[in-house]
Amino acid sequence: MLCTSTVSKAQTSTLYERGTTTAWSDNDLSSWSTPTKGTLSIANNALTYTVPANSGNYTSSSTLPTAPTENSKITFNAVWNVGQATGANNTYSILSIGDLKFKWYGSAQKGTVQAGDEGEVTLTNLNDKTTRGTTWTISATIDQTTGSSSYSISTSNKKSASGTITHTGGTYSTLTFGMGGKVPKWENSTSLSSISVTEEKQNVTTATYTVKYVYNSTEIKTAETRTGIV
């Protein structure tokens, strides 16, 4: 072990919030990217993304005003109406914070969660026609020190899903909201009633260390210097 460092603990701080303490307003639209096709609007105290029929699907994104601190624990909460069927099985609505992505395929009747570019995990309890057009209440905790994200989802049609997904080296400074995938056959929309991102800095000790590869007392490969959580 060559050296260590410690990240001190701090109180929980809010990085972004709308729809709970702070009401949505038209001023919020400027903080989200303008879709190439489709529109963003504020209506009924929600951010709504609408995509027309027979057009490409484009998501909108927003960079958090304050980026999460390295190694902090992030809490992500949202109330999200996932939208209806689109007539195309590969069309989906999406809500994500950085590398943690929640998707709903309206025509395929499938909900998924994904970390980074790794394969989507199917939310088996949310896979039926009655979940179309429902509102999902999502709560997720992302521990950047371990790469572990735990999540729980409850829907307005009385269904639920929960689990843990791991993705090391992820980034979580951007929010994404909208639709993607194949072109829909008719107009569709998805809406975000509320969203919040908070973080708590953690007491985390890191160490720089050397890994050697030895076989029968002989070093057989170049040693590697690494840094990791103790």
Side-chain angles (χ1 to χ4, degrees):
M1 185 177 293
L2 302 181
C3 66
T4 62
S5 62
T6 300
V7 178
S8 60
K9 189 173 183 179
Q11 293 182 341
T12 300
S13 57
T14 300
L15 306 182
Y16 186 79
E17 178 273 321
R18 289 295 184 274
T20 50
T21 303
T22 307
W24 292 100
S25 73
D26 289 339
N27 293 331
D28 293 320
L29 295 176
S30 61
S31 65
W32 293 77
S33 59
T34 302
T36 305
K37 293 184 180 180
T39 58
L40 277 174
S41 62
I42 304 293
N44 300 319
N45 197 30
L47 177 68
T48 299
Y49 180 95
T50 303
V51 62
N54 301 315
S55 67
N57 297 306
Y58 299 89
T59 55
S60 182
S61 63
S62 176
T63 301
L64 293 174
T66 303
T69 306
E70 183 180 10
N71 294 323
S72 69
K73 184 177 289 186
I74 302 168
T75 300
F76 174 71
N77 291 300
V79 178
W80 173 42
N81 186 283
V82 296
Q84 297 285 351
T86 62
N89 284 344
N90 291 330
T91 304
Y92 56 83
S93 54
I94 181 172
L95 176 63
S96 70
I97 173 170
D99 286 341
L100 182 62
K101 309 167 189 176
F102 298 93
K103 295 180 181 179
W104 167 251
Y105 294 81
S107 287
Q109 305 170 35
K110 181 176 70 171
T112 69
V113 61
Q114 184 177 17
D117 294 327
E118 298 168 23
E120 295 178 51
V121 176
T122 299
L123 303 170
T124 54
N125 289 347
L126 307 184
N127 289 353
D128 63 49
K129 188 180 294 186
T130 66
T131 307
R132 290 175 178 167
T134 60
T135 297
W136 293 14
T137 300
I138 299 172
S139 179
T141 301
I142 303 163
D143 190 338
Q144 294 186 91
T145 62
T146 62
S148 175
S149 297
S150 59
Y151 60 88
S152 64
I153 303 169
S154 60
T155 71
S156 56
N157 65 328
K158 310 299 183 182
K159 293 184 178 293
S160 63
S162 61
T164 301
I165 191 168
T166 301
H167 172 64
T168 57
T171 58
Y172 303 96
S173 60
T174 302
L175 301 170
T176 301
F177 165 69
M179 300 184 71
K182 191 175 180 180
V183 173
K185 292 184 178 180
W186 49 76
E187 182 180 278
N188 208 333
S189 64
T190 177
S191 62
L192 190 57
S193 297
S194 66
I195 187 169
S196 69
V197 181
T198 61
E199 74 163 351
E200 181 182 1
K201 296 178 183 178
Q202 301 186 87
N203 286 318
V204 176
T205 300
T206 61
T208 301
Y209 56 97
T210 299
V211 177
K212 292 189 175 184
Y213 300 87
V214 179
Y215 178 71
N216 285 341
S217 301
T218 301
E219 194 166 343
I220 60 173
K221 184 179 177 180
T222 303
E224 296 180 4
T225 300
R226 302 177 182 175
T227 300
I229 303 298
V230 176

